[in-house]
Structure formats: C-alpha cells, structure tokens
Amino acid sequence: MRLICAFCWLFMFYSCEDKPTPKQTNSIVPKDTIVKKVKEVPKTETESEYPLLTDNNAMEYFLEYEKEHKENKVRITTDFGIIDIQLYDKTKFHRANFIYLTKRKYFDGTQFYRVVKNFVIQGGSSDDYNIAKRRRKIGKYLLPPDTKRGYTHKRGAVSMPSSEIENAYKLASPFQFFIINRIGGADYLDEDYTVFGEVIRGMDVVDKINAVDTDEGDWPLHNVYIRKVEIIK
C-alpha cells in the first residue's frame, strides 16, 4: 500500500510542474532576429545621394563624376529666349561642375544679375533666399583656374568668375558664369578666368539681355530670370 501511495504522489508532482505555454514561447524574439530587422530598416527620405561638397572633396568628386557624365551641351531658357552652350571637354572640372549643377537644377530660377554694356552678362545668382538654401545643400567650394587649354574670351565665350572673396589664385565661384558680349572679345581676361564653353545658338538673346537698363551697380532694373537649364544633345 505504501508503494502505491508513493507512486501516486510522484505522478501528481510532475503533472503540476509549470511549463511554458505556446503563447509565452512565441513572445520571445531571438537576438539575431532583432539585429536582422535593424539592418533592414530603409534609408530615410532626408538622406541625400549627393555628398556635401567642400574645398577638400570637390575636385576628387568631379574627377570621378566627369568620367560617368560626358554630357557637354546645355540649354538656358531665359525671359528673352534660348541660349545653347557647348561645354569644352578639356576643361573637365568646370564642365563637370556645370553639368552637375544643371542636373541638380541649381540654375533654375536664378538670374542674369550683372549686365555690363558691350562687355558681359553674368548669371547664376539671385537675391532669392531659396537660392541661398539651395547652395547650402550643395556645399561650399571653389574651383581652381584652368587657363592653359588654348581657349580665349572671344565673343560668345562662357567663363567662370573668381570668387567674391580675396584670393591670389583666382579661384572660381562654381555657381556663377558669364558670357562675353563684346565685339572682338576680351582676350585680356584669358590669364585670369577659365573659359569652359561657348554659345552655339542664341547670341541674339545674349545681346538682348545685354541691352537691358541697369542701375549703377550693373544690376538690371527688371529681373532677368534663368527659367531653367537642361542637358541637350
């Protein structure tokens, strides 16, 4: 009888042991699963595919960029008509910079903000706060001059002005450009500024812009907008 009672007691003990239910087991997430989920989180929309350009990385970036982006013709649509420009392959950093800014739509909505009669029209800037914000997103950098390629500031030449800051090396402001309007050109600028293209269509438009009324600072009395700049073939 004692043997039978002992057996019954052991049976009741093991039957009452607390075992995890299926719900409790499924509530535990393995560590490796957590790591995997973190790795698969998609990039946020605020992350940019473009680097923030600086004086330290811009030249290296454009050296690689120009290898993959061989476009060399752009169309500038202005309030006065269309200007088509051929960009020179030899001035590869300046060409790459202009193509890069065109593809990022930097120039859209900027202005020909400086007009010097019978000399130049200068564009790529504006007093619009949104343009300043656009620049900050692209970066702050200058381009070194590239004046030994044999190009001259002839009528229709497209060149890049020096930065507004004082610099002994004539480093160029990458967001701006000017077009020579002067009959006979301005070859005395050749040693100081980089010619990186020329107008192939629309010099009549350049002349119309050059004829607008300006104030004492050469700023047009009525804004002359660059509506858009686009790549063409």
Side-chain angles (χ1 to χ4, degrees):
M1 177 65 80
R2 291 179 178 178
L3 182 62
I4 293 174
C5 290
F7 177 80
C8 291
W9 183 84
L10 288 171
F11 178 79
M12 292 174 62
F13 177 81
Y14 284 108
S15 297
C16 295
E17 183 182 6
D18 186 21
K19 294 182 180 180
T21 64
K23 184 176 181 180
Q24 290 173 320
T25 302
N26 291 340
S27 67
I28 300 173
V29 180
K31 289 182 179 180
D32 60 342
T33 304
I34 294 175
V35 173
K36 185 176 181 180
K37 285 187 176 181
V38 171
K39 288 182 178 179
E40 292 178 350
V41 172
K43 293 182 178 180
T44 64
E45 293 182 357
T46 58
E47 291 178 328
S48 174
E49 60 180 303
Y50 301 106
L52 187 67
L53 296 179
T54 68
D55 286 333
N56 293 327
N57 67 7
M59 296 302 291
E60 182 178 356
Y61 179 78
F62 286 130
L63 183 62
E64 294 302 317
Y65 187 87
E66 69 92 18
K67 295 176 182 177
E68 300 296 329
H69 301 266
K70 297 296 185 181
E71 300 92 339
N72 60 5
K73 289 182 183 178
V74 296
R75 173 165 293 165
I76 302 173
T77 301
T78 78
D79 290 338
F80 288 80
I82 288 173
I83 304 170
D84 287 347
I85 291 175
Q86 172 85 51
L87 303 175
Y88 298 143
D89 293 330
K90 288 183 179 180
T91 50
K92 58 184 179 181
F93 291 111
H94 293 71
R95 181 192 65 80
N97 173 75
F98 204 89
I99 293 297
Y100 175 78
L101 294 179
T102 295
K103 289 188 174 183
R104 294 202 63 177
K105 300 187 182 301
Y106 164 74
F107 294 111
D108 297 5
T110 60
Q111 301 172 29
F112 280 104
Y113 63 94
R114 181 170 179 256
V115 172
V116 183
K117 292 291 188 293
N118 301 313
F119 181 38
V120 300
I121 62 173
Q122 189 162 318
S125 191
S126 172
D127 56 358
D128 187 338
Y129 178 67
N130 289 323
I131 302 301
K133 287 174 59 178
R134 201 178 297 173
R135 286 191 184 193
R136 284 197 296 271
K137 288 181 179 180
I138 294 171
K140 185 177 182 180
Y141 62 100
L142 299 174
L143 294 178
D146 193 1
T147 60
K148 307 298 182 183
R149 302 295 180 179
Y151 303 124
T152 186
H153 285 79
K154 63 184 180 181
R155 173 173 159 83
V158 182
S159 187
M160 194 169 288
S162 293
S163 167
E164 293 177 355
I165 65 172
E166 290 293 329
N167 68 85
Y169 301 102
K170 293 292 183 180
L171 299 177
S173 174
F175 298 106
Q176 302 170 35
F177 63 96
F178 63 88
I179 302 174
I180 297 294
N181 162 261
R182 184 172 182 267
I183 300 296
D187 58 5
Y188 53 86
L189 300 177
D190 292 351
E191 294 298 318
D192 294 326
Y193 306 98
T194 300
V195 176
F196 64 98
E198 65 180 271
V199 174
I200 55 176
R201 175 194 171 199
M203 273 306 296
D204 58 324
V205 176
V206 174
D207 293 339
K208 289 177 183 177
I209 295 173
N210 189 258
V212 301
D213 293 330
T214 62
D215 61 18
E216 294 179 355
D218 299 323
W219 192 287
L221 295 181
H222 300 285
N223 292 337
V224 180
Y225 283 100
I226 296 173
R227 297 301 175 180
K228 64 178 178 178
V229 178
E230 57 192 327
I231 309 295
I232 59 173
K233 295 182 179 180

